[in-house]
Amino acid sequence: MSNSLLKNFKSGAVLSFGELLLRIAPDAGGNWLNDNTLPTYIGGAELNVATALALWDVPSRYITALPNNGLSEQIIAYLNKKNINTSSVFYHGDRIGLYFLTKGKDLKHDALIYDRANSAFAGLKAGMIDWDKVLDGVSWFHFSAICPAISQQVADVCLEALEAASAKGITISVDLNYRSKLWQYGKQPQDVMPALVKYCDVIMGNIWAAEKMLGIEVFGDIHESGQKSIYLKEALSSSERIIGQFPKCKAVANTFRFDEADDIKYYTALFIDGTFNTSHEYCTTTIVDKVGTGDCFMAGLIYGFYNNQPAQQTLDFATAAAFTKLFIASDATTNSVEEIIGAIKYE
């Protein structure tokens, strides 16, 4: 593992920054109307990372914005019980963001409905958060592309945080989550993301997200090829070009999840120190919940880096963590390190 990536890392906590969301999960048949039951999950991409890290005994902090009311108080107490440090949460505004996702579907389907306009997090502006104070004792800062997708002012807050973290020598990671329903304020991802990604040491996503957000073109007509070898070859090329375009970046991770009816195939890759590592290909025909698999993978990468594991070992752990999340009915994993290690399959 890269010494420059790990420099001073284990001396501090991992801070995840993003919007806490309540996921409302109606069933596809509408039985919730008759049963008066509407399952609710506490989530948000960055909180899912923070939750997994805390579960795996990595010092985990979380910063978001919430209204100062009784519901927020209950949520914070719930997170604290999971050993997530929430002391930096910023209180203002009037509401918590929601999204509705029909049970069994994923975030790419029409079953997704956002209700997060004018939330406390969406109301954040540069200058509100004292980043110098918040980043004290932090050695890794994580965010995702969901944050700057919300509005220009939230993108400005992200930039403010990244500049402060970079000035302190903090390792920075980003998940290139693309949410088309969020980029609605007149900017395209390529107008915003490159200026943020230039601060990042670890970039996670896939070849299509890198193309959409960073302009790293996917060469050739491979979109429907379905061939693992072709996708991995393109992932290597994309990773090399990302590092060439963003010199601060030291590691690029790609995840591939293909859903065909009930047949899911999942594999990943990690490019670091000039070496391209690939995972075993996992397959299943039975899942419980697709939400949060990518977040779990990101947490697995951070876990491996934190514990100074070799790149292949880090990738194997992160991939197994993500795959086993498919069988858990929540936004974040509940699997222990030992359970994930026991689920690892090797090439």
Side-chain angles (χ1 to χ4, degrees), residues 107-126:
L107 297 174
K108 298 177 183 177
H109 287 75
D110 291 336
L112 171 65
I113 301 171
Y114 284 123
D115 181 16
R116 51 200 292 184
N118 302 313
S119 68
F121 191 86
L124 284 176
K125 297 180 181 178

Side-chain angles (χ1 to χ4, degrees), residues 35-246:
D35 300 338
N36 292 316
T37 57
L38 199 55
T40 302
Y41 301 93
I42 305 296
E46 301 82 7
L47 178 56
N48 296 338
V49 172
T51 301
L53 292 174
L55 177 64
W56 302 334
D57 294 326
V58 175
S60 180
R61 299 186 189 179
Y62 178 61
I63 178 169
T64 190
L66 294 173
N68 192 0
N69 58 31
L71 181 59
S72 296
E73 185 177 346
Q74 289 181 337
I75 291 171
I76 291 300
Y78 174 79
L79 298 184
N80 290 341
K81 287 181 180 178
K82 292 181 176 291
N83 294 320
I84 301 170
N85 184 326
T86 58
S87 60
S88 297
V89 169
F90 185 79
Y91 293 95
H92 84 134
D94 300 314
R95 62 171 305 215
I96 298 172
L98 311 175
Y99 73 103
F100 297 81
L101 183 64
T102 303
K103 185 178 180 181
K105 302 296 183 180
D106 65 29
L107 297 174
K108 298 177 183 177
H109 287 75
D110 291 336
L112 171 65
I113 301 171
Y114 284 123
D115 181 16
R116 51 200 292 184
N118 302 313
S119 68
F121 191 86
L124 284 176
K125 297 180 181 178
M128 285 184 169
I129 296 173
D130 183 348
W131 286 108
D132 186 63
K133 179 179 179 181
V134 167
L135 292 168
D136 186 40
V138 170
S139 54
W140 189 294
F141 178 84
H142 174 68
F143 77 111
S144 85
I146 294 174
C147 297
I150 295 171
S151 69
Q152 181 62 60
Q153 67 184 40
V154 176
D156 293 341
V157 175
C158 290
L159 179 60
E160 182 182 57
L162 295 173
E163 289 175 340
S166 182
K168 286 177 171 286
I170 294 169
T171 299
I172 299 169
S173 60
V174 63
D175 183 346
L176 297 178
N177 314 60
Y178 177 59
R179 301 289 183 263
S180 60
K181 292 185 177 182
L182 290 182
W183 289 94
Q184 301 296 325
Y185 61 95
K187 294 287 185 69
Q188 294 300 313
Q190 288 185 36
D191 299 327
V192 177
M193 290 306 301
L196 303 179
V197 168
K198 73 177 185 179
Y199 291 96
C200 297
D201 300 276
V202 179
I203 299 172
M204 173 245 169
N206 59 43
I207 56 177
W208 298 286
E211 181 178 53
K212 185 72 176 179
M213 298 199 161
L214 305 178
I216 305 295
E217 185 180 356
V218 176
F219 291 123
D221 186 19
I222 73 167
H223 294 270
E224 303 298 331
S225 75
Q227 294 186 38
K228 180 180 178 181
S229 61
I230 293 177
Y231 288 140
L232 290 177
K233 181 179 179 181
E234 189 62 25
L236 172 57
S237 172
S238 176
S239 298
E240 291 174 332
R241 284 178 283 144
I242 287 173
I243 288 178
Q245 184 169 323
F246 301 98

